[in-house]
Amino acid sequence: MIGRLSGTLAEMRPPLLLVDVHGVGYEVLAPMTTIFELPALGQPVQLHTHLAVSETVQQLYGFIRDAERKVFRTLIRISGVGPKLALAILSGLDVAALARCVAEDNVTALVKVPGVGKKTAERLIVELRDKLTPEVNDADGIPLVPATTAPRVDHAGEAESALAALGYKPAEASKMVAWAGKAQPDADSATLIRLALKGMAPA
């Protein structure tokens, strides 16, 4: 079991990261809440990881904080929630926001996450009510900081691809990124993704 990676952030194609650990490149899928806080490419990075193993694939998932990994592991134990959906949930909602949705029975906010229908949202609230404790809810008061990355040729295209990888339909992803681009012209891809997700979240 690989529980943590410490190395150099070599590549970033949200939600996919490549972490170089002494010459070995590890491909890691990470939620946007983690990606927004990553250092610049070429800089040291440490991620708490979870190795998901199925009959067809082995995939590492990485998180900037252990609290995110704990919630991810809790999510994938819920019926109907696999790693892909758990990644989408933690991309649209950080740990604190997810805890608030559960505490407030906020189904409306949860169904805005791609792949989460009303029944799944209701199941999430029931299953998480006694599991999102102060121990894992340590993201309160920590602002999301866009990653500083190398210049990119097509920020909008990368942002749309990242949102599509999280489950948004291409047309919806395009609309979200277009809105984000109007809100902040000349934004990089990470900022476009952050603004797009924020724009879809409840006020």
Side-chain angles (χ1 to χ4, degrees):
M1 178 65 70
I2 301 173
R4 185 174 65 187
L5 285 181
S6 295
T8 302
L9 183 60
E11 295 180 22
M12 181 165 61
R13 301 188 304 276
L16 182 66
L17 309 175
L18 183 67
V19 180
D20 187 313
V21 181
H22 301 302
V24 178
Y26 290 85
E27 290 188 339
V28 184
L29 290 176
M32 289 301 154
T33 45
T34 281
I35 288 175
F36 296 151
E37 298 190 55
L38 292 176
L41 294 179
Q43 295 299 309
V45 66
Q46 179 173 286
L47 295 172
H48 299 276
T49 58
H50 173 85
L51 178 61
V53 180
S54 69
E55 295 181 357
T56 57
V57 68
Q58 296 184 23
Q59 178 64 61
L60 270 178
Y61 293 84
F63 309 90
I64 202 73
R65 297 184 184 85
D66 189 42
E68 291 179 324
R69 182 176 62 176
K70 289 178 180 177
V71 174
F72 177 84
R73 287 174 169 173
T74 299
L75 286 170
I76 61 176
R77 294 190 187 103
I78 297 173
S79 176
V81 180
K84 183 178 179 180
L85 183 54
L87 195 74
I89 292 170
L90 288 175
S91 289
L93 298 164
D94 63 22
V95 174
L98 180 59
R100 286 195 296 271
C101 285
V102 172
E104 298 168 1
D105 293 333
N106 193 342
V107 172
T108 301
L110 287 172
V111 297
K112 290 185 178 181
V113 175
V116 177
K118 184 177 179 181
K119 289 185 178 179
T120 300
E122 292 172 344
R123 187 182 309 122
L124 285 169
I125 289 173
V126 171
E127 294 283 348
L128 294 174
R129 184 169 287 124
D130 297 325
K131 296 182 175 68
L132 284 187
T133 65
E135 179 185 357
V136 299
N137 188 19
D138 67 356
D140 277 316
I142 301 175
L144 298 181
V145 181
T148 303
T149 63
R152 299 178 185 271
V153 175
D154 184 7
H155 298 305
E158 285 205 346
E160 289 179 19
S161 295
L163 292 171
L166 292 172
Y168 288 96
K169 295 179 180 179
E172 186 178 16
S174 179
K175 182 179 179 181
M176 292 166 67
V177 172
W179 175 88
K182 291 179 180 179
Q184 187 169 331
D186 301 323
D188 62 14
S189 57
T191 302
L192 286 174
I193 296 166
R194 175 175 60 84
L195 291 172
L197 290 171
K198 183 178 180 181
M200 295 299 292

